[in-house]
Amino acid sequence: MALKGLSDIFKPDDDTEEYVEKETSKGNKGYKNKTILVEPRAFSEAQQIADYLKEQNQVVVNFKRVTSDVSKRIMDFLNGIIYAIEGSMQKLGPGIVICAPKGFEIEGTITEDERKKSTKKDDLEQW
């Protein structure tokens, strides 16, 4: 009987449980639009980037972890997705792009310093 009394003391109120549930759901799903940073390591990750865009999230893609051939394939895939969802894409720097679904506006441009460009031809700088 004493144990039953202790369990009643430590049992949370119904109001407390309801508050915790609301707080948890608000914390996880309160933000619809996000900016997601991605560094793909293989072409297979391109589909996940497309899913983020279809969920109305902006995606910043850094291609530093893939070869130039894989980065070209991913860019071709992303260009198709951007066209299909009527989004936009802009280069942020060498090997870094931002992709945004319809309804997001990418404003401004980022210029590269001519003195800092390497003399080595890099396929990533061409797009």
Side-chain angles (χ1 to χ4, degrees):
M1 289 204 170
L3 293 177
K4 184 177 181 186
L6 286 175
S7 66
D8 289 340
I9 293 172
F10 292 108
K11 182 178 174 184
D13 296 324
D14 290 337
D15 295 335
T16 306
E17 287 179 20
E18 188 176 327
Y19 177 75
V20 171
E21 287 176 17
K22 287 181 183 176
E23 189 66 33
T24 302
S25 64
K26 183 179 178 185
N28 291 338
K29 299 176 186 174
Y31 301 107
K32 282 189 172 184
N33 302 353
K34 300 177 189 176
T35 300
I36 300 171
L37 308 175
V38 180
E39 289 183 335
R41 296 174 190 235
F43 177 75
S44 60
E45 295 179 47
Q47 185 174 355
Q48 181 63 49
I49 298 169
D51 290 340
Y52 291 143
L53 289 166
K54 289 187 336 185
E55 293 169 358
Q56 297 298 307
N57 296 307
Q58 293 184 77
V59 183
V60 176
V61 185
N62 185 348
F63 291 99
K64 76 177 187 177
R65 296 190 183 269
V66 293
T67 64
S68 62
D69 290 338
V70 173
S71 67
K72 284 180 186 179
R73 289 184 65 205
I74 293 172
M75 280 298 295
D76 288 343
F77 183 80
L78 292 179
N79 278 318
I81 294 298
I82 292 295
Y83 177 78
I85 65 171
E86 299 179 21
S88 59
M89 182 185 299
Q90 185 173 357
K91 182 179 177 181
L92 296 179
I96 303 173
V97 295
I98 184 167
C99 305
K102 184 178 181 179
F104 281 86
E105 203 172 315
I106 301 174
E107 193 172 301
T109 58
I110 296 178
T111 58
E112 292 182 35
D113 188 6
E114 293 296 322
R115 294 174 295 165
K116 292 185 179 179
K117 281 188 176 179
S118 69
T119 56
K120 184 174 111 175
K121 288 201 172 201
D122 187 10
D123 290 335
L124 294 178
E125 289 186 14
Q126 292 180 10
W127 42 262

